[in-house]
Amino acid sequence: MAERLMLWESPPASPAMGKKRSDGLGLGMGTLVGQLGELLSQAVMPPAPRVCGTPGGPPVTAPRVRLSDGRHLAYEESGVPKEAARYRIVFSHGFTGSRLDSLRASQEVAEELGVYMVAFDRAGYGESDPNPNRSVKSAAMDMAELADALGLGEKFYAVGVSLGCHAVWGALKYIPERIAGAAMMAPVVNYWWPGFPPEEAAAAYGRQSYGDQWALRVSHHAPGILHWWMEQSWLPTSTVVDNTTFLPNKRDADVRRTLTADGTLQKKKEMATQQGINESYYRDMTVMFGKWEFDPMALPEPPCPVHIWQGDEDGLVPVVLQRHVAGKLTWVKYHELPGTGHFLSAVPGLGDTVLRTLFG
């Protein structure tokens, strides 16, 4: 098991690395290393983003709000008008997603319950401005600022899917007083969260493809070179980004096959990454799998209900680790779906079930 742990932990630094060379060879090597370091830093630097609405950038086609730091967030509304709503949801999309994603609840149920929902392009995605300082906390604050800009009131419901659930965890940590309730759909986990049993986390990590192990390892330990790493065809990289991950659930596999064949996945990627893949996909990876300021499994009970939905045949999020999260957080209402994979929006009627569970 110790060998598995080493797959995803940084090797300890050798004491010899700290010794200084006083001879000419040492000084010469130091100069050479410095020059190589400068060349490497230039080589790994990602290209500047093509910001929407700027010269040479994509056009702005969606409604947007301006945040306190000057950035813009693009959004899409659904359900009932917010003025008539009894419940207001801010929705955080997943990896490769956009403001056009949602719970896929029916309009009939939204009207019956009086639910308004606003989904937004997370920073750097779609038509929302990039944020070079993006973090778990900034994702939560973006949700709060969007709610304030749209006049959603003192409290709102935070709902996230897959990797976008880091914004919901951030909301429960940094702005729990603003959250009336939260729901996370197949939330992605960070294998380095301290609350996981090390051997169990390492075993789940080791069951991923070799390329995904490396992509996550670089995201966690060396985020500054992730863009360079991911762009090298000779290096092992993420099957999730390439959409080639093995999906054990039949519905998941069928959905991906259909969306690939009709071009939907390619269109989603083009929309999500139009300002630069580094500002969307890769920054997502470094935030989600980087070093968090807190462990979700150490959060105190928030002043609102929290739900997690998880499929037991999820090929992207290990159900064994999700069960551990739910077991540690006794205040989480955990809903495990048998025979279900990761793409929960494709599960018939689940969006309506989520709304009825939250508000029924």
Side-chain angles (χ1 to χ4, degrees):
M1 188 58 69
E3 293 179 356
R4 286 185 175 177
L5 285 171
M6 290 178 65
L7 286 175
W8 60 290
E9 293 179 350
S10 294
S14 167
M17 293 176 64
K19 294 176 64 177
K20 293 184 178 180
R21 294 289 302 275
S22 59
D23 54 87
L25 177 61
L27 292 173
M29 286 297 292
T31 301
L32 178 60
V33 168
Q35 292 173 344
L36 288 174
E38 290 182 8
L39 290 173
L40 182 60
S41 65
Q42 294 174 8
V44 303
M45 185 174 296
R50 299 173 58 248
V51 180
C52 283
T54 63
V60 175
T61 65
R64 305 200 302 177
V65 299
R66 185 180 177 88
L67 306 180
S68 59
D69 63 2
R71 290 183 294 116
H72 296 86
L73 288 185
Y75 64 92
E76 182 81 9
E77 298 171 298
S78 61
V80 303
K82 60 176 179 285
E83 296 80 11
R86 292 196 295 273
Y87 308 104
R88 298 172 176 86
I89 293 174
V90 178
F91 183 85
S92 176
H93 67 76
F95 191 66
T96 77
S98 76
R99 66 185 183 276
L100 301 182
D101 296 339
S102 72
L103 281 175
R104 301 290 187 265
S106 67
Q107 181 66 19
E108 291 76 16
V109 171
E111 291 178 357
E112 173 193 334
L113 298 174
V115 179
Y116 160 91
M117 181 162 60
V118 58
F120 66 103
D121 289 333
R122 292 191 286 101
Y125 272 86
E127 297 181 23
S128 288
D129 293 340
N131 180 3
N133 300 312
R134 183 141 68 98
S135 66
V136 175
K137 183 175 183 178
S138 74
M141 301 312 294
D142 282 359
M143 295 180 81
E145 284 207 58
L146 175 63
D148 290 341
L150 295 177
L152 302 189
E154 182 180 348
K155 291 191 175 188
F156 58 91
Y157 288 80
V159 177
V161 62
S162 190
L163 190 146
C165 290
H166 73 270
V168 181
W169 285 122
L172 295 174
K173 165 65 176 179
Y174 297 110
I175 52 170
E177 72 284 352
R178 299 293 311 273
I179 307 303
M184 289 179 272
M185 314 293 291
V188 171
V189 299
N190 182 319
Y191 295 89
W192 290 268
W193 284 342
F196 285 135
E199 291 191 354
E200 196 169 302
Y205 180 91
R207 284 191 288 269
Q208 299 177 104
S209 74
Y210 187 65
D212 289 307
Q213 291 182 42
W214 268 105
L216 267 60
R217 183 184 290 116
V218 174
S219 298
H220 185 80
H221 293 294
I225 69 167
L226 181 63
H227 178 274
W228 173 84
W229 183 282
M230 295 292 290
E231 298 301 306
Q232 307 305 307
S233 60
W234 55 277
L235 289 174
T237 56
S238 171
T239 67
V240 179
V241 171
D242 293 340
N243 250 313
T244 57
T245 307
F246 171 69
L247 300 175
N249 179 261
K250 184 180 184 302
R251 181 188 288 116
D252 279 0
D254 289 345
V255 167
R256 184 173 66 183
R257 187 180 304 112
T258 299
L259 297 183
T260 299
D262 68 12
T264 298
L265 288 185
Q266 180 60 30
K267 291 176 183 177
K268 283 173 64 70
K269 180 177 181 179
E270 291 171 359
M271 178 179 179
T273 64
Q274 65 179 339
Q275 297 183 94
I277 195 169
N278 186 67
E279 296 302 329
S280 48
Y281 287 12
Y282 301 159
R283 207 173 286 281
D284 244 6
M285 294 167 66
T286 60
V287 170
M288 181 66 233
F289 301 108
K291 297 175 175 64
W292 284 39
E293 294 180 344
F294 66 97
D295 180 359
M297 285 170 278
L299 286 174
E301 182 173 357
C304 65
V306 179
H307 297 262
I308 288 178
W309 275 266
Q310 172 71 37
D312 69 349
E313 294 181 0
D314 193 321
L316 298 174
V317 180
V319 66
V320 64
L321 295 186
Q322 204 72 274
R323 290 169 182 164
H324 190 81
V325 172
K328 292 274 284 190
L329 299 175
T330 57
W331 40 266
V332 164
K333 297 175 177 62
Y334 180 61
H335 313 269
E336 189 169 300
L337 306 176
T340 303
H342 186 72
F343 303 148
L344 299 188
S345 63
V347 177
L350 184 57
D352 289 349
T353 298
V354 172
L355 291 189
R356 292 193 185 282
T357 302
L358 289 174
F359 312 125

